[in-house]
Amino acid sequence: MSRVAIVSDSNSGITQAEAKELGITVLPMPFFIDDKTLYEDIDLDQAGFYQLLTGDVNISTSMPLVGNLTDAWDEVLKEYDEIVHIPMSSGLSGSCQTAMMLANDYDDKVEVVDNQRISVTQRQSVLDAMALAEKGFSAKEIKEILEREKMESSIYIMVDTLEYLKKGGRITPAVAAVGTLLKLKPVLQIQGDKLDSFAKARTTKQAKGMMIDAMKKDFAERFGDAEGKNMHLEVAYTYDLEAAEAFKAEVEEAFPGMDVVMAPLSLSVSCHIGPGALAIACSKKVPELA
């Protein structure tokens, strides 16, 4: 049986320490901060990132460098026969297409998965890939399964401030000014490969209720599983752990009996939405593992 390794990137929210425990490889995402390049969870931690983000510095995200990616694959293939590489959604970054192009030089030893995941749903895909590999599925089979299930996930994100959406050009300064004046809390959604507007709330409490109601509706209507028996459920956040824990308690109350996993949003996402964001996410259990 072929030995299959799992490789992902830090957009999954998996830290280097967790990757070591899991026995996988996680590529740290690079950030350009003024005139320096810093790498997530290597020389840029959560606390340091938010200190910079809220300060007077220019921060932009970048794809993993080609050399870093191929070096990682080459190192992994010294021990494994095949690689399943799970990058962030192709709809949110060009890193997936770059990886696919590079994989052409690896004689079918590297399978790049484009299953439209980011953050906690990408993390779940990594865990699913690991479990499938343990069951003896090949890299190609794992890719096919994950891509087959790519639309079986949902994310809702409440943004606490409009400043970072304005900085990233996702909303105009005029819209940001009006929204700030009205103290709006936008709720965004990721369904597949796009980040779209979902609703506008006037308070954090209202936004949290909207997200929980939307997720309940998805469970019942989109996934046909109102009780969540075949669903994974997650809460994610940027910077404010206390607020995240309170939201997790509300989600647990709304979905009794479900195991709710909580994790910080990756810094690549946080860079565009800022601190104070809260998110609820789900993905359907892979039938081969249910």
Side-chain angles (χ1 to χ4, degrees), residues 2-8 23-27 68-87 99 102-103 106-113 129 133 137-144 146:
S2 180
R3 297 200 66 204
V4 179
I6 311 301
V7 177
S8 189
I24 63 174
T25 298
V26 170
L27 289 161
N68 290 352
L69 180 57
T70 55
D71 285 351
W73 288 350
D74 292 342
E75 188 64 29
V76 168
L77 287 171
K78 290 178 182 178
E79 186 176 350
Y80 291 85
D81 302 310
E82 299 179 296
I83 291 172
V84 175
H85 181 75
I86 307 174
L102 294 171
Y106 280 79
D107 299 324
D108 297 325
K109 292 181 179 179
V110 178
E111 297 288 349
V112 179
V113 177
F137 288 89
S138 68
K140 185 178 181 181
E141 289 170 334
I142 294 171
K143 170 188 166 74
E144 290 172 350
L146 295 183

Side-chain angles (χ1 to χ4, degrees), residues 108-286:
D108 297 325
K109 292 181 179 179
V110 178
E111 297 288 349
V112 179
V113 177
D114 183 11
N115 69 332
Q116 316 294 0
R117 302 295 174 91
I118 181 67
S119 187
V120 286
T121 58
Q122 182 183 352
R123 177 193 183 93
Q124 185 58 54
S125 289
V126 170
L127 299 178
D128 290 342
M130 290 175 58
L132 289 166
E134 288 172 6
K135 279 181 169 286
F137 288 89
S138 68
K140 185 178 181 181
E141 289 170 334
I142 294 171
K143 170 188 166 74
E144 290 172 350
I145 290 169
L146 295 183
E147 290 186 347
R148 183 195 70 204
E149 301 295 308
K150 69 179 181 179
M151 296 305 294
E152 305 296 333
S153 71
S154 184
I155 301 177
Y156 297 94
I157 307 170
M158 181 211 79
V159 178
D160 188 52
T161 171
L162 297 171
E163 178 183 352
Y164 299 92
L165 290 173
K166 180 184 72 174
K167 278 185 177 179
R170 292 190 179 273
I171 59 174
T172 66
V175 169
V178 172
T180 300
L181 182 65
L182 296 176
K183 298 182 179 178
L184 295 179
K185 303 290 183 185
V187 177
L188 311 176
Q189 65 175 335
I190 300 176
Q191 308 278 354
D193 64 351
K194 292 182 180 179
L195 176 67
D196 293 315
S197 176
F198 176 71
K200 295 181 179 69
R202 294 299 296 267
T203 65
T204 298
K205 181 179 180 181
Q206 185 185 33
K208 291 193 290 185
M210 284 178 173
M211 291 193 292
I212 289 173
D213 288 345
M215 190 58 70
K216 282 184 174 180
K217 185 177 180 180
D218 281 351
F219 270 35
E221 298 180 9
R222 188 172 164 206
F223 302 114
D225 187 3
E227 295 181 5
K229 292 181 178 179
N230 291 300
M231 303 297 296
H232 298 288
L233 186 60
E234 300 96 5
V235 164
Y237 64 98
T238 60
Y239 194 58
D240 193 338
L241 177 59
E242 185 177 349
E245 289 175 336
F247 184 45
K248 182 187 177 189
E250 293 178 45
V251 172
E252 288 173 333
E253 184 178 352
F255 296 88
M258 288 200 70
D259 180 25
V260 180
V261 175
M262 187 176 77
L265 282 161
S266 66
L267 298 185
S268 292
V269 176
S270 306
C271 186
H272 298 291
I273 61 176
L278 294 170
I280 184 171
C282 76
S283 55
K284 199 167 186 178
K285 293 180 180 178
V286 173

